[in-house]
Amino acid sequence: MFYHLLPPFADAIPGLGVFTYISFRAAGATVTAMFLSFVTGPWVIRTLRARKVSQVIREDAPAGHREKQGTPTMGGLIILLATVVPTLLWARLDTRFTFTAVAATMWMAAIGFLDDYLKVVQKKPRGLVARYKLIGQVTFGLILAAYLLFIPLDTGSLAPNETTVPFFKYFSFSLPPILFMMFVTFIMTASSNSVNLTDGLDGLASGLTVIAAAAFAIFAYLIGNTVASEYLLIYYIPGAGELSVFCASLMGAAIGFLWFNSHPAEIMMGDTGSLAIGGALGTVAILLKSEFLLLLIGGVFVAETMSVLIQTSVFKWRKRRHGIEYARQNRFFRMAPLHHHFELSGWTESKIVIRFYILGLLCALVALATLKIR
């Protein structure tokens, strides 16, 4: 909004021209998102606590999690508000990149909200049935893929169904339309679920979101800049730079939420926040034609997801070969996702979170290194 309202008056009021710069608007979006989180956070916490919208702890959760019972949840509403509003204020509104990312975030947030509502308000322990949640995720993935194929965005020299590969200069490949739709759907589903699985310790998912969003903000800025993309030998995508404003808003929102979500947490993000964040990161990767970068930037999210898949697969195999009792007594991990394994190994919650932050930062730096290692 500011981009469209203020620069026309630059001749009369010196300094308003800075609103045309993406870097300035991204910084403004970050500060605005943090401010909204700080301002709305206490009110949301009080409201949720008054309505007894509190976290439900699973019976099989580590013993230390019992004290979290009663902590307000659905805090993802703070993240959603503090991401969408600054994006609409600071980003250009004449590009479909911005609206696509916002739409994905809100769609996934709606699925998460419904799940949280059923669990904590309607008191249905299972929440939204897993298959219905999956249907919602897959549906959006198919809609997004069809939208990109049949109403393509301006992606420069890249085709709508084309993707790039890290570590190689100007290297990309195209997928047949059907495979592309399956590819996009898989990314959206996997990304949203991976953040959801990671959200198990105070501040873990929100802190990793800060790191991932910052990394994608840098990539979006460089990919959408003609000079920088030419220098770094990466594909230029016109208009993609506006995604750096969206990512900066997400980063600021996560920082602000972390203020209340750090250990001991005053509020949990719930599925409302985790699914929204996963959907946002997955969509940004797809729009930037950098889907494989998501594996690097979100390395900790990937590890958390893989730990669940390995745990489930090994359990089923051992149950089939040796019986259920043997399978229960000989699990691959003490508990999945991975952060619970380390909890049961004796690590304190704060130590796990900080060390996962370090790993997340390392993953982001490796991803950024692909800009020069080509």
Side-chain angles (χ1 to χ4, degrees):
M1 182 185 295
F2 293 149
Y3 174 87
H4 304 282
L5 293 179
L6 300 179
F9 300 98
D11 292 336
I13 306 176
L16 292 184
V18 296
F19 285 90
T20 61
Y21 297 120
I22 291 177
S23 56
F24 176 79
R25 289 186 285 115
T30 303
V31 174
T32 304
M34 291 173 63
F35 176 77
L36 280 175
S37 294
F38 291 146
V39 170
T40 60
W43 177 80
V44 172
I45 293 172
R46 286 195 302 270
T47 302
L48 293 174
R49 186 174 287 124
R51 295 178 181 275
K52 298 182 179 179
V53 180
S54 56
Q55 183 76 9
V56 178
I57 305 300
R58 293 175 4 210
E59 292 183 2
D60 61 342
H65 286 237
R66 295 287 181 267
E67 62 189 30
K68 301 177 188 290
Q69 187 78 34
T71 304
T73 188
M74 297 177 71
L77 293 171
I78 300 172
I79 298 175
L80 186 64
L81 175 69
T83 298
V84 173
V85 172
T87 298
L88 297 179
L89 287 176
W90 292 93
R92 287 179 57 175
L93 303 182
D94 57 353
T95 169
R96 289 188 289 152
F97 284 96
T98 301
F99 283 108
T100 303
V102 169
T105 305
M106 296 186 69
W107 181 295
M108 293 300 179
I111 297 174
F113 178 85
L114 181 57
D115 186 39
D116 286 336
Y117 182 83
L118 291 174
K119 280 190 291 190
V120 301
V121 179
Q122 296 294 320
K123 306 301 180 184
K124 296 182 178 180
R126 295 177 61 192
L128 184 63
V129 178
R131 65 175 177 273
Y132 294 144
K133 186 187 296 186
L134 185 62
I135 288 173
Q137 295 168 320
V138 169
T139 299
F140 182 81
L142 293 173
I143 291 173
L144 177 61
Y147 174 67
L148 296 177
L149 280 174
F150 300 113
I151 314 177
L153 283 70
D154 183 2
T155 52
S157 59
L158 291 168
N161 57 333
E162 200 167 1
T163 186
T164 61
V165 179
F167 297 108
F168 296 93
K169 57 183 178 181
Y170 298 126
F171 182 81
S172 63
F173 64 90
S174 299
L175 292 169
I178 296 298
L179 285 181
F180 177 75
M181 295 186 72
M182 294 173 61
F183 182 57
V184 169
T185 302
F186 172 76
I187 291 171
M188 291 302 302
T189 304
S191 179
S192 56
N193 284 325
S194 65
V195 178
N196 183 239
L197 290 171
T198 305
D199 181 33
L201 299 179
D202 295 349
L204 179 57
S206 49
L208 291 172
T209 297
V210 174
I211 297 170
F216 270 120
I218 294 172
F219 275 102
Y221 179 80
L222 296 174
I223 291 172
N225 185 289
T226 52
V227 176
S229 58
E230 182 178 357
Y231 172 75
L232 294 170
L233 304 178
I234 56 178
Y235 284 101
Y236 167 64
I237 300 179
E242 292 302 312
L243 286 174
S244 63
V245 179
F246 171 78
C247 290
S249 297
L250 178 60
M251 178 183 69
I255 293 173
F257 181 75
L258 187 58
W259 180 272
F260 307 103
N261 186 231
S262 58
H263 184 72
E266 300 173 57
I267 189 171
M268 307 291 189
M269 70 167 62
D271 285 12
T272 305
S274 59
L275 292 183
I277 291 170
L281 295 176
T283 302
V284 169
I286 292 167
L287 294 177
L288 292 178
K289 301 297 181 183
S290 303
E291 294 89 346
F292 292 104
L293 275 178
L294 188 60
L295 291 173
L296 296 177
I297 294 175
V300 176
F301 296 131
V302 174
E304 293 272 40
T305 304
M306 291 303 299
S307 69
V308 173
L309 295 176
I310 292 171
Q311 182 85 322
T312 304
S313 300
V314 172
F315 179 84
K316 290 181 178 179
W317 182 79
R318 286 176 173 169
K319 177 184 175 183
R320 189 167 54 249
R321 291 289 301 271
H322 305 287
I324 190 168
E325 287 303 321
Y326 179 87
R328 285 175 176 170
Q329 295 173 10
N330 295 274
R331 298 179 186 271
F332 192 87
F333 295 106
R334 294 175 185 268
M335 183 180 287
L338 192 58
H339 54 263
H340 288 323
H341 169 79
F342 290 112
E343 271 192 290
L344 296 180
S345 298
W347 292 18
T348 63
E349 183 168 347
S350 297
K351 178 169 287 190
I352 296 170
V353 171
I354 294 299
R355 287 180 172 177
F356 275 39
Y357 284 176
I358 294 171
L359 292 175
L361 181 59
L362 178 62
C363 290
L365 291 175
V366 171
L368 290 171
T370 65
L371 292 168
K372 292 301 292 181
I373 304 175
R374 290 176 177 271

